[in-house]
Amino acid sequence: MESPTEGYRCRVCSAPLPITADTIAIGCQYCGALNIIKHDLIKSLYLVQPMSEESVLSKLEERAQRGSSPGVFTRSNLAWLDKVLIPLYIVDVDALLNYDAVVRVYIRKCRRREKREECWTETKTVRVSGVYKPGPRSYPVIARRGVSVYSAKALAYAYLTRRPIAKPLSGSDQESGIWRNLLAVELDGKTAITLAIDEYLDDARDKAKSWIKREAEIKASTWGGSVVGSSIAWLRLIPVDVKSSVTDPIAVPLYYAIYRSNVGFYRVYLAGWDGEVILMEKPAGRLERGLWLVGGIIASGVIGAIASTLPIYCGSNGFIYSLLAIAIGAYTSYYTTRKAITPFKTVVKTHISKIPGES
Amino acid sequence: MVLITSSTTRAKCPYCAAEFDIPKGQVFATCPYCGTTFKVSEPTASIEHYVFTLKYDSNKAFEAARLFISIQPGVPSDASKNINYSLGRLYYVPIYIYEVVIDAPCIETEEVSSGEHFEASVLGGQEAVYKLAPGSMNIPIPIPRDYPFPAQVREYFKPRFMKEAFYIQPTIDPYEQLGEIKEPYLKKSIEEAEMACPGKYRVIDKSSFKAIAHYPFWMIEYTYRGGNYRVIVDGSDGTIVYAEYPLDPMKKTRWLLIGAASTLIALGTSQLIINVAGLSTINSWLYSILSYIGGIWVFLSRFVKKKGVYMFKPREEGVFSPPR
């Protein structure tokens, strides 16, 4: 059966286009021309000009010469090089959060009675209200449905951080072969706004809750004692004055290379406009692996010694603390031994702190 | 080749009217003549059915496997040269694509929305996410949970895919599965709306089952000095998903000796600390060895066996998944 989207052909070379019901724009796999399928959902497309393959490889080689593994990232070891154009929307979001909350604050109080100190915990109920301002924020939203791999997200945040020049397309640009590597655009600007607002508000709500608890704890601390914690008993949190705007999609280049040497193979993702590393594997030296092994042995030895003393020094809870210490020791030795044995690689990530949910 | 595991029933294609056998209890059927995919209980409902492009043929998949195996710990030095291809089977594994979009706007909200701008006086709850899930419980090859399948699709399904490969029928009801998938998002959206405008919001659930997609995996079998081993390779991008590999007895012994020495050093470290600090202890040897049990487990599980086994770990290696 011919599906409703089958039969589309490239406007330049007439090759069949593998489009689906969601495709907004796609590059032809044969001639590389850009084909916009849904003109109502896309006004223009911007392009960040990629560096040549030659320049990217030179840059990586140069960087490797300065690092600990100069022999691996050489032209003779290059097994695979690929370039992808990732379409992004940049969405600006701003909002305020009106809050009204009842917070239980736990306060520890102590007093001296006949040379003995007595301590107890009191619960105070505090009501706080106000406006939390998370401030404006920009989000890169990948215009491809469901792309959530680290490499694409890291590229998006690298783009946002460094903002290389993106130029709108001219007619001749659309027919240059570069679009062969474009990931088809599947999301429209409106969907990108929805996704960005969701992310912004999820983050803002979490921050607002911490802010509310802190405010209540500060209020409660004026009543004496020391605050040991708090929990929100009731909360009204209203996002108001939500404003968002989205750019046209921007095609951002990403290079992916695999190097093969006699000690393994190593993958590298590079920002396509300046050749900076987004994500790379490099060989883990014998010294590094040895340090993991020795570090794990010493840590487990120390924890084992502590665990065996806890039942004696910590009274009735000593056995439980001891089990906890053994669990920590066992996990430490498991993790470090795995690092020492496999893989024989170190992963270098950049822009990690910028990416929500990554640590 | 269609994997049929139970007794069959007769189905009729709503597009070309061809009749063919399908396993009983199957949710979807794909016509082997015209490629139309339809819901068995509701043949007239149209279903989008895609397939991810196969970019690795069996030779390329074997080469990727050979390279990967040669760098595993404990592998004989000559493995790269002396492993021999014996069999390659292509499987098409069904996955379901879902779009979860739940909006819970406050009734009093005023929204202004154009293509590029959005403004709202008040917002309630909202969640939007794309999800993928396996379409069958009977997948005969080991694919890790949470394997990062790409969500985007490549080409429409054609009947030839059923003839060229082991085609695994989707058996899970996607509409039931959608309920489970969207449940946490629905709950979160309502919680957000309750916080913003308690009792004064609407819930608009636009979540949908978007499509079935079949994803290619190669099962490659190879031999090394009389032993048989299997490797599963992602046919779309060459990721090694699962690999069995030979272990060199000398290298295994060396690693196990390192493991024994490590255990003794860990024990010695504990005893040294206890003696130097003059600590009172109970069963100090037992506690010390338990603290190093994780390390001992790694050495034993890797090197006290005939074959080495690698399994792709999405949390650790998913970072290198290409943006397909």
Side-chain angles (χ1 to χ4, degrees):
Chain A
M1 182 180 72
E2 187 155 294
S3 83
T5 48
E6 271 189 302
Y8 267 87
R9 291 188 173 270
C10 173
R11 61 187 175 79
V12 176
C13 72
S14 298
L17 292 173
I19 70 159
T20 71
D22 299 313
T23 309
I24 295 172
I26 191 169
C28 174
Q29 296 291 306
Y30 300 92
C31 72
L34 179 68
N35 287 267
I36 295 179
I37 310 297
K38 295 179 182 169
H39 287 272
D40 53 329
L41 295 179
I42 191 167
K43 277 201 303 199
S44 180
L45 189 63
Y46 283 68
L47 173 69
V48 175
Q49 197 62 43
M51 282 174 98
S52 67
E53 287 183 0
E54 189 58 30
S55 315
V56 166
L57 295 177
S58 302
K59 188 131 190 206
L60 180 61
E61 214 167 309
E62 202 179 292
R63 179 195 153 112
Q65 289 297 333
R66 297 196 305 267
S68 57
S69 45
V72 173
F73 301 101
T74 58
R75 306 295 163 97
S76 55
N77 285 343
L78 183 70
W80 179 270
L81 181 68
D82 210 350
K83 179 174 64 193
V84 186
L85 284 179
I86 298 187
L88 301 177
Y89 289 102
I90 303 299
V91 185
D92 296 322
V93 189
D94 196 9
L96 302 174
L97 273 85
N98 287 348
Y99 63 87
D100 186 9
V102 175
V103 183
R104 288 195 197 99
V105 182
Y106 309 109
I107 299 171
R108 190 169 167 81
K109 291 189 170 173
C110 295
R111 72 175 164 215
R112 283 210 159 268
R113 181 181 280 182
E114 294 170 5
K115 293 183 182 174
R116 276 182 55 211
E117 192 176 50
E118 279 183 352
C119 293
W120 68 98
T121 304
E122 281 181 7
T123 304
K124 295 273 183 196
T125 304
V126 182
R127 185 159 190 159
V128 288
S129 58
V131 180
Y132 177 70
K133 296 174 186 167
R137 225 183 133 180
S138 297
Y139 289 87
V141 176
I142 299 162
R144 178 82 157 178
R145 174 160 290 151
V147 174
S148 58
V149 291
Y150 177 85
S151 48
K153 284 201 284 182
L155 179 84
Y157 277 90
Y159 171 80
L160 200 59
T161 313
R162 303 210 283 272
R163 295 280 182 143
I165 296 164
K167 287 185 179 162
L169 292 183
S170 64
S172 59
D173 285 341
Q174 292 189 30
E175 279 157 35
S176 72
I178 197 170
W179 303 101
R180 187 177 288 112
N181 303 306
L182 176 73
L183 286 186
V185 179
E186 292 178 342
L187 297 186
D188 59 7
K190 210 172 167 182
T191 312
I193 285 179
T194 307
L195 291 168
I197 290 179
D198 182 27
E199 197 174 335
Y200 177 89
L201 288 180
D202 279 350
D203 186 40
R205 284 184 184 103
D206 286 343
K207 284 183 180 152
K209 283 178 193 167
S210 305
W211 170 273
I212 288 163
K213 286 197 325 194
R214 211 163 43 242
E215 191 182 331
E217 286 169 10
I218 291 166
K219 261 190 178 179
S221 65
T222 58
W223 300 329
S226 52
V227 174
V228 290
S230 61
S231 63
I232 296 174
W234 176 85
L235 174 65
R236 173 75 60 84
L237 194 57
I238 313 167
V240 295
D241 290 337
V242 182
K243 290 182 184 131
S244 182
S245 60
V246 63
T247 60
D248 287 317
I250 304 155
V252 181
L254 174 73
Y255 276 101
Y256 172 49
I258 301 177
Y259 286 84
R260 181 181 180 168
S261 77
N262 56 356
V263 284
F265 68 93
Y266 302 93
R267 296 166 288 189
V268 191
Y269 283 100
L270 303 144
W273 64 90
D274 61 6
E276 285 297 318
V277 169
I278 299 280
L279 180 64
M280 80 185 288
E281 286 172 318
K282 61 175 191 172
R286 278 173 190 269
L287 179 66
E288 189 179 332
R289 289 166 56 203
L291 284 174
W292 276 110
L293 189 67
V294 172
I297 290 169
I298 292 172
S300 299
V302 172
I303 293 169
I306 294 168
S308 62
T309 64
L310 290 172
I312 291 176
Y313 293 106
C314 292
S316 56
N317 288 332
F319 185 65
I320 295 167
Y321 293 148
S322 179
L323 284 180
L324 201 66
I326 286 172
I328 294 169
Y331 183 74
T332 307
S333 61
Y334 170 78
Y335 182 79
T336 53
T337 311
R338 276 193 66 209
K339 287 289 266 185
I341 291 181
T342 53
F344 304 146
K345 298 170 181 177
T346 304
V347 175
V348 182
K349 294 177 179 179
T350 54
H351 308 285
I352 195 97
S353 62
K354 295 271 182 191
I355 302 176
E358 300 285 348
S359 58
Chain B
M1 284 163 278
V2 181
L3 292 183
I4 295 178
T5 51
S6 57
S7 56
T8 58
T9 185
R10 205 82 182 138
K12 188 175 178 183
C13 174
Y15 187 75
C16 71
E19 289 194 10
F20 54 96
D21 288 334
I22 57 163
K24 267 186 185 164
Q26 194 172 293
V27 183
F28 295 108
T30 301
C31 175
Y33 305 99
C34 70
T36 302
T37 297
F38 55 95
K39 198 176 175 193
V40 177
S41 61
E42 200 184 341
T44 49
S46 75
I47 304 289
E48 300 267 298
H49 190 180
Y50 305 110
V51 68
F52 287 90
T53 309
L54 180 71
K55 289 188 178 168
Y56 278 66
D57 61 16
S58 60
N59 286 332
K60 223 171 146 190
F62 177 62
E63 276 314 306
R66 184 206 291 272
L67 177 61
F68 187 81
I69 288 156
S70 67
I71 61 158
Q72 295 308 303
V75 162
S77 313
D78 65 344
S80 176
K81 286 179 194 158
N82 291 331
I83 64 173
N84 296 306
Y85 175 91
S86 55
L87 180 73
R89 273 191 193 148
L90 179 64
Y91 286 86
Y92 274 108
V93 170
I95 54 174
Y96 291 156
I97 301 169
Y98 297 100
E99 186 178 63
V100 178
V101 182
I102 297 164
D103 207 5
C106 296
I107 290 167
E108 292 162 11
T109 191
E110 283 172 26
E111 280 185 19
V112 180
S113 176
S114 69
E116 299 97 38
H117 298 280
F118 172 87
E119 285 185 25
S121 57
V122 183
L123 268 191
Q126 62 286 303
E127 290 298 320
V129 69
Y130 295 98
K131 284 281 182 191
L132 295 158
S136 171
M137 299 293 280
N138 307 314
I139 296 173
I141 48 174
I143 298 167
R145 275 173 69 93
D146 304 326
Y147 183 70
F149 290 109
Q152 62 273 19
V153 289
R154 285 296 183 205
E155 54 187 295
Y156 277 96
F157 190 83
K158 307 269 187 328
R160 69 178 168 85
F161 297 123
M162 296 166 85
K163 294 176 187 123
E164 291 168 357
F166 285 85
Y167 173 83
I168 300 165
Q169 295 281 3
T171 53
I172 295 171
D173 187 335
Y175 302 98
E176 270 178 32
Q177 198 176 47
L178 174 62
E180 288 165 28
I181 282 176
K182 72 182 180 187
E183 181 61 33
Y185 299 97
L186 186 64
K187 208 171 145 195
K188 191 164 172 236
S189 211
I190 290 173
E191 269 172 21
E192 289 169 355
E194 273 292 332
M195 274 196 287
C197 40
K200 292 181 181 171
Y201 58 88
R202 292 173 295 148
V203 177
I204 305 163
D205 182 0
K206 295 180 209 157
S207 307
S208 60
F209 163 58
K210 298 288 284 183
I212 304 172
H214 271 84
Y215 198 93
F217 285 99
W218 280 103
M219 193 190 74
I220 303 286
E221 286 184 9
Y222 70 92
T223 56
Y224 172 78
R225 297 192 188 280
N228 293 310
Y229 305 88
R230 284 192 313 159
V231 185
I232 308 293
V233 184
D234 182 322
S236 193
D237 74 359
T239 298
I240 307 295
V241 175
Y242 171 88
E244 293 170 356
Y245 51 88
L247 289 172
D248 180 343
M250 287 300 287
K251 287 187 179 172
K252 274 201 304 189
T253 310
R254 198 174 70 196
W255 278 111
L256 287 170
L257 286 174
I258 293 173
S262 304
T263 310
L264 288 175
I265 297 168
L267 280 174
T269 308
S270 288
Q271 296 306 312
L272 186 71
I273 291 166
I274 290 165
N275 291 333
V276 169
L279 300 169
S280 305
T281 60
I282 296 173
N283 296 327
S284 63
W285 289 95
L286 178 67
Y287 281 91
S288 304
I289 206 153
L290 286 175
S291 285
Y292 195 66
I293 201 81
I296 297 170
W297 166 252
V298 172
F299 284 111
L300 294 181
S301 63
R302 291 284 172 98
F303 303 111
V304 181
K305 52 186 176 186
K306 273 188 164 178
K307 288 178 184 176
V309 174
Y310 162 87
M311 187 90 185
F312 179 88
K313 292 181 186 64
R315 283 188 142 209
E316 292 173 17
E317 304 190 46
V319 293
F320 280 101
S321 297
R324 294 164 279 197

